[in-house]
Amino acid sequence: MGTRSDRGVSTTSGGVANPLLFAAVLLVGCGAAVARIGFGSLQDLARAAALLLLSMLVICLLQQGSLRVHRLRSLLAIGLAAVLGVAALRFGFVYPFAVVVLGTILAYGTFIRWSLPVQWPQRQAVVAGLALGPLLASMLLWYRAPSLLTFLLLGALTAGLLEMYARAHRTAHLIDSGVARAARFVGQAVTAILGSAIMIFVVIPLSWISRLFGYSPLDGGWATRSSAWVDLQTENRGRSNGGPEHAQSMAMREPRPTRSVRRRGHLRLLVPTLALVVVALLMGVGPVKLSRTNSDQEVATQQDRPSTFTRPFEQDPAFKDAPWAQNLRVNLLDAWNNLEFNAAVGGWRIKDVASKYINVRDGERASTQPDPALGEPIVIWFFGGSAAFGAGQRDEHTIPSELVKLAQDQGVALEIHNFAVPATVNWQSAMLLIAQLEAGEKPDLIVIYDGANDVSLQGVLAAQGKGASTRPASLIDGELDAVLSKRANAKAERDSAPSQTLLPPSKTRTPDKELTPAASGQAVLTRYGKGIEVIRKFSELSSVPVLIFWQPDIRAKQPQSAADTETLAAVKVTGDSVKIWTQTSDVVRAGLGALGVTDLSGVFDGQTEPIYWDTVHTNELGSKIVAERMLKELQPTLQDLQNSRG
């Protein structure tokens, strides 16, 4: 295995390698990096194309004699690779760039040269197997968790294996012998295990079944006390002298069971078959259920989502002139089902989403970009819940997008990053803001647009007997409690020992007394104020101004139009619940001024056109109206920011 074959020499020195090998090098060299970037946007597509081009350039330069024979082509390839390197630094894909370069070099050496020196001797295919192991492992690990150090260490192991096989022939032979012995041992062990498994789970059970039911596989029927075999009539008519009349064969005729015996055996064979089917159905295995259900997983995956997200809101009056509404709802549902728990803020986080109308990347929903002709834009971070996220609006028509377009008409460039997350309250927005500021960057202005979820949280806490609590909480606290309780109970039922339960037994908590709407409103205001205090404190530490807006609600709109009444009926909001909400909300709104929060509750008053499709979410007309009012409040701050820039 340490020698160089004549065929290998000819392939290395002057021949052309198999195109499939070059394709394999290209796939291994840049596959993980391209997959890591994805194709969520035109920018991602450009990065992936750049990495593919980079891998092909590296392959071109690695060809034997490339630098000496094809100097012009080699210089061109080096120049293009350098341009791609600068682009990687400029647009932030340095790690994928390094992975593609190193991965392509190692893959080329593994597939085509089998070694790293300039004079690469051809090796047998076993070298590819040994070298590809750590190389593919490094690519997959980098894809799962981009650690360049791990990739470099495993890549160095790949290079070491290639070098050893190229130079230390005796060591390579010893390794080959050891691998062969290990393979034989593994093969024998697998054979023994499979043979034992077949004997234990197939042969022995069948033997027991045949004994239990008296089934004999030799006669095709069922053995009884009276034999099922055909009697063999031995005729021995002798001659007069006592000898046999005809010579008799020593071989006996094969006995055959009668037809009735066979039929009886086949019918009785249905008995154990039906019994096994019934047992399988009762145990939840077999053709009806292939696996045992994990109760913990079932609890975790059946969390309730707001019904308004799955309701066909395209049938509401607010979308009567929107043929795209149904597709928007599907995109919105896809985004909502793409949520994951974000422990840093105690709530949800939307993973990357790419669709026609809703696009999210790194926790930020796509917004309209500013006009470059207006100069350097004012950077705004936008936080809030689903209304701020833009549930019911396309990317180009959310509140941030409408703000960008309205400010652009006034000659002001805004670059708004929409970090809003559905089903979050003000305290969670504060935690998310802190996480963004701790990342090292900071905007020119922070805008908060929320309030509805904080009022809804009061009803959730009251249902849990915690209505009087003013501690920070979230809408999903109750769901998490239910998940953990069911999981603990399921674990306790499966385990006989109480010490093995997942959670300790919780003490029964005395529920809070039922609060009046006024007291509930005060609790909401207290919790909301704590989040506002945190937001303002961290914005001051970062020297970034912040403006906070309380979002409107259909129940506060005056006067109620026919479309509003129809919408309230569609989401099953009764008159009594509206009364309670109004009394609670009035207390909260009365204290917003002291917190420095701008109340936008009356922004839709007097509007007769349909705007809401549930109690808080609006169509694109609603987002534009909110943006117009919000821009008026932002103009003094925006003017100060422009003046500070000179």
Side-chain angles (χ1 to χ4, degrees), residues 413-640:
L414 299 182
E415 179 184 320
I416 303 183
H417 300 269
N418 188 353
F419 295 114
V421 181
T424 59
V425 296
N426 182 264
W427 178 264
Q428 291 168 305
S429 295
M431 297 299 103
L432 183 57
L433 171 61
I434 294 173
Q436 292 293 132
L437 291 174
E438 289 296 324
E441 299 180 359
K442 66 177 185 178
D444 299 313
L445 177 64
I446 298 170
V447 174
I448 311 293
Y449 177 74
D450 58 9
N453 289 336
D454 291 84
V455 178
S456 299
L457 174 62
Q458 180 62 28
V460 174
L461 294 176
Q464 300 172 8
K466 304 176 183 177
S469 173
T470 58
R471 297 173 61 86
S474 70
L475 291 171
I476 65 169
D477 287 352
E479 295 183 9
L480 290 177
D481 289 343
V483 170
L484 295 176
S485 298
K486 292 181 180 179
R487 184 178 297 176
N489 293 335
K491 181 71 174 176
E493 292 177 358
R494 291 195 300 267
D495 298 336
S496 57
S499 60
Q500 295 180 357
T501 55
L502 187 63
L503 294 174
S506 59
K507 297 181 180 179
T508 303
R509 181 182 183 278
T510 302
D512 296 337
K513 294 182 179 180
E514 185 175 353
L515 302 180
T516 63
S520 296
Q522 189 59 48
V524 173
L525 185 62
T526 302
R527 280 193 302 270
Y528 187 75
K530 291 180 179 180
I532 298 299
E533 182 180 358
V534 172
I535 290 173
R536 294 198 184 280
K537 177 65 68 176
F538 274 85
S539 64
E540 290 175 3
L541 292 175
S542 302
S543 300
V544 179
V546 57
L547 277 82
I548 305 171
F549 298 89
W550 182 270
Q551 67 189 91
D553 191 293
I554 191 175
R555 289 163 288 194
K557 183 174 176 290
Q558 297 296 332
Q560 295 282 321
S561 65
D564 298 332
T565 304
E566 183 178 343
T567 300
L568 288 172
V571 294
K572 298 181 173 60
V573 175
T574 63
D576 292 339
S577 65
V578 170
K579 182 179 179 180
I580 295 175
W581 180 91
T582 302
Q583 293 173 351
T584 304
S585 177
D586 287 346
V587 174
V588 180
R589 293 171 57 192
L592 293 178
L595 297 176
V597 178
T598 302
D599 185 8
L600 299 182
S601 298
V603 70
F604 299 132
D605 287 352
Q607 292 289 334
T608 57
E609 293 187 52
I611 292 177
Y612 288 100
W613 55 271
D614 68 357
T615 56
V616 294
H617 301 110
T618 72
N619 57 13
E620 293 176 353
L621 174 60
S623 66
K624 185 175 182 179
I625 294 174
V626 170
E628 290 174 347
R629 172 64 185 280
M630 192 177 288
L631 183 59
K632 292 180 180 179
E633 301 292 335
L634 293 175
Q635 279 178 339
T637 305
L638 296 177
Q639 187 64 45
D640 292 341

Side-chain angles (χ1 to χ4, degrees), residues 245-283:
E245 182 177 358
H246 300 288
Q248 300 291 325
S249 173
M250 296 297 294
M252 298 179 61
R253 287 187 301 165
E254 179 184 0
R256 297 181 179 277
T258 62
R259 181 176 300 177
S260 61
V261 171
R262 284 183 177 276
R263 187 181 298 112
R264 185 177 72 247
H266 294 158
L267 290 176
R268 291 179 61 182
L269 188 61
L270 293 175
V271 176
T273 303
L274 293 176
L276 290 175
V277 170
V278 172
V279 172
L281 291 176
L282 293 176
M283 294 180 61

Side-chain angles (χ1 to χ4, degrees), residues 260-454:
S260 61
V261 171
R262 284 183 177 276
R263 187 181 298 112
R264 185 177 72 247
H266 294 158
L267 290 176
R268 291 179 61 182
L269 188 61
L270 293 175
V271 176
T273 303
L274 293 176
L276 290 175
V277 170
V278 172
V279 172
L281 291 176
L282 293 176
M283 294 180 61
V285 297
V288 175
K289 197 173 184 180
L290 297 177
S291 62
R292 183 178 180 275
T293 300
N294 188 329
S295 59
D296 298 344
Q297 182 178 2
E298 183 178 2
V299 170
T301 56
Q302 290 182 353
Q303 294 305 301
D304 294 335
R305 302 284 191 241
S307 58
T308 52
F309 277 53
T310 57
R311 187 175 62 86
F313 58 70
E314 65 272 12
Q315 301 175 5
D316 284 7
F319 295 96
K320 62 179 180 179
D321 297 324
W324 40 263
Q326 184 174 2
N327 290 334
L328 174 64
R329 178 172 63 86
V330 173
N331 293 164
L332 183 62
L333 184 59
D334 290 340
W336 190 244
N337 288 333
N338 204 33
L339 295 174
E340 63 181 358
F341 183 70
N342 184 8
V345 300
W348 304 116
R349 176 183 182 274
I350 296 183
K351 296 183 286 187
D352 291 355
V353 174
S355 61
K356 186 175 182 179
Y357 297 127
I358 296 178
N359 294 274
V360 179
R361 185 168 182 83
D362 295 331
E364 176 185 346
R365 183 172 182 184
S367 301
T368 300
Q369 295 300 305
D371 186 358
L374 295 177
E376 183 181 0
I378 297 175
V379 179
I380 299 176
W381 285 0
F382 199 80
F383 295 90
S386 54
F389 175 82
Q393 301 135 24
R394 295 169 289 180
D395 286 340
E396 298 81 5
H397 299 278
T398 61
I399 296 176
S401 293
E402 294 293 346
L403 277 171
V404 172
K405 290 183 285 188
L406 291 171
Q408 183 172 294
D409 294 339
Q410 300 178 5
V412 179
L414 299 182
E415 179 184 320
I416 303 183
H417 300 269
N418 188 353
F419 295 114
V421 181
T424 59
V425 296
N426 182 264
W427 178 264
Q428 291 168 305
S429 295
M431 297 299 103
L432 183 57
L433 171 61
I434 294 173
Q436 292 293 132
L437 291 174
E438 289 296 324
E441 299 180 359
K442 66 177 185 178
D444 299 313
L445 177 64
I446 298 170
V447 174
I448 311 293
Y449 177 74
D450 58 9
N453 289 336
D454 291 84

